[in-house]
Amino acid sequence: MTVSMRVMSAGDGYEYLLRTVAAGDGDRDLSTPLTRYYTEEGTPPGFWMGSGLPYLGGGELASGGRVSEAQLQLLVGMGRDPITGEALGEAYRQYASVQERVDKRVADLDPNLGPVSRAEQVAAIEREEAERGTRRAVAGYDLTFSVPKSLSALWGVADAGTQSLIADAHHQAVAEVVAFLEREVATTRVGAAGPEGAVAHVDVAGVLATAFDHYDSRSGDPQLHTHVVVSNKVLTVQDQKWRTLAGRPVHASVVALSELYNATLADRITGTFGIEWEARERGRDRNPAWELAPVPEELVAEFSSRTRQIEQEKTRLIDAYKARHGREPSVRTVLKLRAQATLATRPAKQVHSLADLTTDWRHRASALLGEDATGWARTVTATAEKTGLLRADDVPLDTIADLGRSVVAVVGEKRSTWRRWNLHAEASRQLMGVRFASAEDREAITGMVTDAAEQASLRLTPPELAASPLLFRRPDGSSRFRHPSATLFSTEELLAAEDRLLDRSHTTNGPTLPLATVEKITSKPDLEGRRLGPDQAEALQRIAVSGRVVDVLVGPAGAGKTTAMSALKRAWEKQHGQGSVVGLAPSAVAAQVLGEELGIETENTARWWQMHLVHGDTFAKDQLVILDEASLAGTDSLDRITGLAEHAGAKVLLVGDWSQLQAVDAGGAFGMLVHDRDDAPELTDVHRFSARWEKANSLNLRHGRTIAIDTLIEHERVRGGEQDVMVDAAYSAWRQDVQAGRASILVAEARETVTQLNERARADLVLDGTITPGREVTLHDGLSASQGDRVITRENDRRLRSKNGRSWVRNGDRWTVTAVGGDGSITVRPEGRRFGGAMVLPASYVAEQVELG
């Protein structure tokens, strides 16, 4: 997304925005903040935004006016009027400070402790509480608007006049989206508080916001972006009281705001320069990115990676090595020097002037383009033909209706239910290829397409049966007791598929097992000496005798679902014969794991359905079909598979946890089937955790009880802070685990962060000798790999098989590189195995589908 959001805390949570602000006042003769601070180190001071400004400080604040640190501290840090200092409604909630918590815990210590023991415990308490930090109230929302990479690249190398025009277009798009947020998203809540918050959503007098422009990324690449901090304080129109911004609508609308910003900015750029846009694929599981057509992908890549910085530092280290030793370094030494360069060039946030940055950017781009970059940018922006821009009246109503149906079709492939913001985001995507003359024209057509999509959807939220008092009605007559974007939709096709699944789960003419057979199996330990717990034995007995064509087995992580399925498999095969149990899973990796754990034939659901269509593969009478990770299976997929099983006289057992990750395709059917019954077999004893509190807390977390978060914080399992600090802390913890021989997984939110962490980890592993330097190959993520590296494959390919032909390459498989070929191919072995399973991945697959893992 080009618009991201983070929640800001009260207190000093705003200070990171001020660290790079230029200290000087800039040249006041220059027209825009970006050009005014062109030669000064740092970024421009923030400026005010939002139609709520006239209600502050007697109207002294104006949109575009400069924000001072004192004003930001009052508004965001303290929730007060930035001019008068008066409180805006209730004060932010205060949480106990570190010292207060320390004092409380110290007071509870055993008074009979000796001085040495007491000092040790006090020191431990102080260390623990310092690490936990202090919880703070929500002060606002940082909406970061980032210009697409191709436009940032063009802006970075263009002359000052073109840079100003691009920046103006960016600022106009930001202002339009903020105004849209004020009209369509921003509300506050009044009335009696309840589990879902206050009961009525009422209008506010705009929002209070500050905006801070930034020029570059942490790696020093051009990345024009603006942080818009929307205050959590809003003025209620109804009674002129200051309250807090309703948070749920803001969170729900972020994707739609991002898509609207992309399209509005594209309109402004095309309207100013005539440059066209094109959709470019961004790889697996990612929506295409719209980029400027004349900007080559090579220039985007140059300004999207750290390769050049690393190579420069590596060259410097090699030169220093030759000067010190009087000879060329060996291949292994060169790779170690590159690892040192990787760590040495880890970007710390640098403060430069825009003049210095553009000088560097133009030099880098000129070398890549083979011509003067500024001249190239001038040609791109001057020679493009101005294209016709659409007005809202130019779009026929039948086209809007067709787009509405198309929006529903796309959203319906990904979700079983949706709300207006889901439709609005997809409407913006489908209109991205069209250029409009104004933001009003685009918003009008996007809104009409969204309305058409709502009309083409099936409304699940019941209508308002009682009229609300006039005070709690909107101008369109709808009730303020329901947020406009809260209505839930689906389609008749999805509901029909759900009905068929429910019917099959109620049908009891499926195959069964004698209770005696089940009891005989469940009462004995398996080959590894494991005995079933009471909850596992009871669940299997109910499944075996139910006769349901579609049955379920529910269990949280660590509850022993695999052990239970293994026992059921033994019992079923004892009654119905060898091969009477088969396995399915939504992914190839999950299917492989299921097959290895149960010793049965398995396949992923998409591949199985394809084999059914092509070769007529189906199920057999009295067969048990175990579909693992069922919460990840789409509704249509479950409908098709269970329909074939019913026709064949087989039984389908859906295994999973309704509270875990849901399907990528339209899903939710597993949870529906579970909640349709009062007697759904469920495993309740968690075996994965040793500590009693962890068991209990994992279940609280599974059921969405917020006390679970407090418990995790109390046991130091959750730590908060700025992103860079947290990334470093997570990496350090992972590194300590690995060095101690533990199995550890490091998870990050964004792909860019994953790439940076992989790069850093590999450099450390090379330097400490874990990875033996040798020939390298470049992977899909732009990083290198050599013998000893761990990699992950990103696409199923049954043509790539092990020497014995038993295993093949799956999406999500992790491997250890055992050799690198001169042609760019690699030899890999499944991670964790010393022998067997080796295969060669060809260079084309390595370059497109392999990443460090």
Side-chain angles (χ1 to χ4, degrees):
M1 291 194 301
T2 48
V3 177
S4 60
M5 187 182 78
R6 66 182 291 266
V7 177
M8 294 187 66
S9 59
D12 57 3
Y14 64 91
E15 290 184 349
Y16 72 96
L17 294 169
L18 304 173
R19 291 172 188 162
T20 61
V21 169
D25 290 330
D27 185 348
R28 294 294 173 180
D29 294 332
L30 297 176
S31 59
T32 68
L34 285 177
T35 53
R36 185 177 304 144
Y37 292 86
Y38 186 77
T39 59
E40 296 196 26
E41 290 190 355
T43 54
F47 55 92
W48 289 103
M49 295 183 70
S51 55
L53 294 177
Y55 302 96
L56 293 176
E60 292 186 28
L61 297 178
S63 182
R66 179 169 171 173
V67 178
S68 70
E69 181 174 355
Q71 291 171 342
L72 199 61
Q73 180 184 24
L74 283 169
L75 178 60
V76 179
M78 304 170 65
R80 294 179 174 274
D81 188 306
I83 301 298
T84 66
E86 295 179 1
L88 300 178
E90 295 182 3
Y92 291 136
R93 184 176 177 182
Q94 297 293 318
Y95 295 92
S97 67
V98 171
Q99 190 57 51
E100 289 171 341
R101 296 200 307 270
V102 168
D103 292 342
K104 184 178 184 301
R105 290 181 62 183
V106 169
D108 293 336
L109 290 176
D110 187 347
N112 298 321
L113 284 174
V116 175
S117 298
R118 184 179 181 82
E120 290 176 348
Q121 293 203 26
V122 169
I125 290 172
E126 290 175 341
R127 183 172 59 254
E128 291 171 1
E129 295 299 339
E131 290 178 353
R132 284 177 56 192
T134 302
R135 291 180 63 187
R136 291 176 177 173
V138 174
Y141 304 90
D142 177 2
L143 293 165
T144 304
F145 294 77
S146 297
V147 165
K149 291 184 177 181
S150 59
L151 183 55
S152 274
L154 179 65
W155 169 80
V157 303
D159 57 62
T162 303
Q163 283 186 330
S164 293
L165 291 173
I166 293 174
D168 284 344
H170 163 64
H171 288 144
Q172 290 171 19
V174 171
E176 293 290 354
V177 174
V178 171
F180 177 83
L181 180 147
E182 290 182 315
R183 294 192 304 271
E184 304 292 338
V185 181
T187 59
T188 189
R189 295 162 298 178
V190 299
E196 299 299 321
V199 295
H201 292 264
V202 298
D203 294 338
V204 299
V207 300
L208 312 171
T210 59
F212 291 81
D213 289 328
H214 287 182
Y215 310 129
D216 58 335
S217 68
R218 182 167 291 276
S219 299
D221 294 322
Q223 185 186 347
L224 177 59
H225 60 287
T226 299
H227 292 269
V228 176
V229 178
V230 178
S231 170
N232 201 26
K233 296 292 187 179
V234 287
L235 183 66
T236 308
V237 172
Q238 179 176 300
D239 57 12
Q240 298 297 298
K241 290 184 178 180
W242 288 94
R243 292 184 172 87
T244 57
L245 188 63
R248 288 189 180 184
V250 177
H251 283 276
S253 66
V254 170
V255 175
L257 296 178
S258 180
E259 298 295 343
L260 181 61
Y261 165 76
N262 293 342
T264 304
L265 176 63
D267 290 344
R268 301 286 71 74
I269 293 297
T270 299
T272 302
F273 300 107
I275 306 176
E276 293 297 329
W277 296 74
E278 64 181 14
R280 296 180 184 175
E281 294 296 327
R282 289 301 185 199
R284 180 183 58 89
D285 298 335
R286 300 179 68 185
N287 289 323
W290 284 83
E291 304 286 358
L292 290 174
V295 179
E297 192 64 23
E298 292 77 12
L299 185 59
V300 174
E302 167 66 20
F303 289 143
S304 302
S305 71
R306 296 179 50 232
T307 302
R308 184 173 175 273
Q309 297 173 342
I310 294 171
E311 289 301 316
Q312 287 180 337
E313 178 64 12
K314 184 188 76 172
T315 301
R316 189 191 69 78
L317 292 174
I318 290 174
D319 291 341
Y321 182 93
K322 290 190 292 186
R324 187 166 59 253
H325 298 281
R327 58 182 171 82
E328 293 284 342
S330 66
V331 174
R332 289 192 174 188
T333 302
V334 168
L335 290 178
K336 285 197 172 185
L337 292 177
R338 189 182 191 279
Q340 291 179 1
T342 299
L343 296 179
T345 55
R346 277 192 63 227
K349 189 66 174 178
Q350 301 290 327
V351 179
H352 298 287
S353 68
L354 183 55
D356 290 340
L357 289 169
T358 51
T359 298
D360 175 62
W361 296 335
R362 290 165 183 167
H363 175 75
R364 291 167 58 184
S366 297
L368 185 142
L369 295 168
E371 61 178 301
D372 176 67
T374 304
W376 166 82
R378 189 177 297 112
T379 301
V380 167
T381 55
T383 60
E385 295 183 3
K386 296 293 180 68
T387 58
L389 303 178
L390 290 180
R391 292 287 184 183
D393 292 341
D394 297 331
V395 183
L397 292 178
D398 57 348
T399 300
I400 291 174
D402 290 342
L403 283 171
R405 288 189 288 271
S406 176
V407 166
V408 172
V410 173
V411 173
E413 290 177 357
K414 301 176 182 179
R415 299 172 175 272
S416 57
T417 60
W418 49 86
R419 290 183 167 84
R420 182 175 178 84
W421 288 125
N422 304 121
L423 299 173
H424 194 283
E426 181 57 32
S428 290
R429 293 189 195 102
Q430 297 203 18
L431 289 168
M432 184 63 188
V434 182
R435 302 276 69 84
F436 286 93
S438 69
E440 290 80 6
D441 292 310
R442 175 168 292 280
E443 285 184 27
I445 295 301
T446 305
M448 292 174 69
V449 171
T450 305
D451 291 340
E454 285 191 351
Q455 293 298 319
S457 301
L458 183 66
R459 178 175 174 145
L460 300 181
T461 303
E464 298 157 359
L465 300 179
S468 300
L470 183 62
L471 180 64
F472 295 106
R473 273 187 283 176
R474 299 185 183 92
D476 63 0
S478 62
S479 171
R480 295 188 183 277
F481 293 106
R482 179 180 295 167
H483 196 276
S485 62
T487 302
L488 200 63
F489 299 95
S490 186
T491 64
E492 292 185 9
E493 292 77 13
L494 276 172
L495 293 182
E498 291 178 350
D499 284 343
R500 290 190 291 270
L501 284 169
L502 287 170
D503 288 342
R504 292 172 194 137
S505 72
H506 298 157
T507 302
T508 57
N509 60 0
T512 61
L513 293 180
L515 185 58
T517 302
V518 182
E519 290 177 338
K520 186 174 181 179
I521 295 293
T522 58
S523 63
K524 296 180 180 179
D526 61 15
L527 294 177
E528 298 181 11
R530 296 174 300 189
R531 288 184 177 274
L532 296 183
D535 59 331
Q536 293 171 312
E538 180 185 356
L540 294 193
Q541 291 169 7
R542 289 161 60 185
I543 292 169
V545 303
S546 73
R548 294 177 186 266
V549 172
V550 176
D551 218 331
V552 296
L553 174 61
V554 184
K561 293 190 291 292
T562 301
T563 303
M565 286 189 289
S566 179
L568 179 61
K569 174 250 183 182
R570 298 196 306 273
W572 200 273
E573 288 189 339
K574 184 175 181 64
Q575 178 69 25
H576 296 290
Q578 194 73 19
S580 59
V581 180
V582 295
L584 294 174
S587 70
V589 171
Q592 180 186 23
V593 171
L594 179 65
E596 292 174 351
E597 290 177 338
L598 301 189
I600 59 176
E601 292 186 8
T602 59
E603 189 56 86
N604 73 74
T605 52
R607 171 71 176 178
W608 190 91
W609 182 251
Q610 181 184 21
M611 297 299 291
H612 167 74
L613 295 176
V614 176
H615 302 291
D617 292 3
T618 188
F619 304 114
K621 182 175 173 54
D622 294 333
Q623 206 166 36
L624 174 64
V625 183
I626 297 178
L627 202 160
D628 199 14
E629 303 288 355
S631 65
L632 295 174
T635 299
D636 286 337
S637 178
L638 291 179
D639 178 40
R640 292 192 296 263
I641 290 170
T642 57
L644 288 174
E646 181 181 35
H647 184 266
K651 178 185 181 72
V652 179
L653 176 63
L654 305 179
V655 182
D657 185 2
W658 52 266
S659 67
Q660 291 182 355
L661 188 66
Q662 296 299 304
V664 175
D665 297 328
F670 178 73
M672 173 194 70
L673 294 173
V674 172
H675 292 104
D676 178 63
R677 298 171 54 179
D678 295 329
D679 62 343
E682 183 168 3
L683 308 181
T684 57
D685 188 11
V686 179
H687 304 277
R688 183 168 296 172
F689 302 106
S690 55
R692 180 173 297 179
W693 77 266
E694 288 182 299
K695 291 184 179 183
N697 203 63
S698 70
L699 297 176
N700 283 334
L701 190 63
R702 174 175 178 259
H703 289 286
R705 297 167 185 149
T706 55
I707 190 176
I709 303 299
D710 294 329
T711 303
L712 290 172
I713 292 173
E714 290 172 4
H715 287 83
E716 300 182 22
R717 300 297 176 86
V718 176
R719 299 179 186 177
E722 294 184 15
Q723 179 174 347
D724 294 336
V725 176
M726 291 297 98
V727 169
D728 280 341
Y731 176 81
S732 298
W734 172 85
R735 181 85 174 131
Q736 291 173 6
D737 283 348
V738 171
Q739 290 175 330
R742 303 187 187 99
S744 185
I745 297 176
L746 184 58
V747 180
E749 178 184 19
R751 284 178 175 268
E752 292 78 6
T753 307
V754 171
T755 300
Q756 293 168 10
L757 289 169
N758 277 326
E759 181 182 58
R760 182 177 175 185
R762 181 174 189 267
D764 276 332
L765 293 172
V766 168
L767 290 175
D768 67 17
T770 303
I771 294 176
T772 304
R775 181 183 286 139
E776 289 187 322
V777 63
T778 301
L779 307 178
H780 176 253
D781 54 11
L783 304 182
S784 299
S786 56
Q787 182 180 347
D789 270 311
R790 291 191 300 177
V791 297
I792 185 170
T793 48
R794 290 301 191 185
E795 183 175 74
N796 295 334
D797 195 330
R798 293 171 183 269
R799 298 168 298 177
L800 303 179
R801 291 184 172 270
S802 59
K803 294 179 180 179
N804 60 18
R806 294 178 182 175
S807 59
W808 49 275
V809 174
R810 295 170 172 82
N811 174 23
D813 278 347
R814 283 181 165 78
W815 313 80
T816 300
V817 179
T818 59
V820 176
D823 61 349
S825 64
I826 59 175
T827 304
V828 296
R829 177 176 289 118
E831 184 184 12
R833 291 178 60 176
R834 297 181 59 189
F835 307 102
M839 67 180 69
V840 176
L841 303 181
S844 58
Y845 185 88
V846 171
E848 297 177 4
Q849 303 296 346
V850 179
E851 301 172 355
L852 277 184

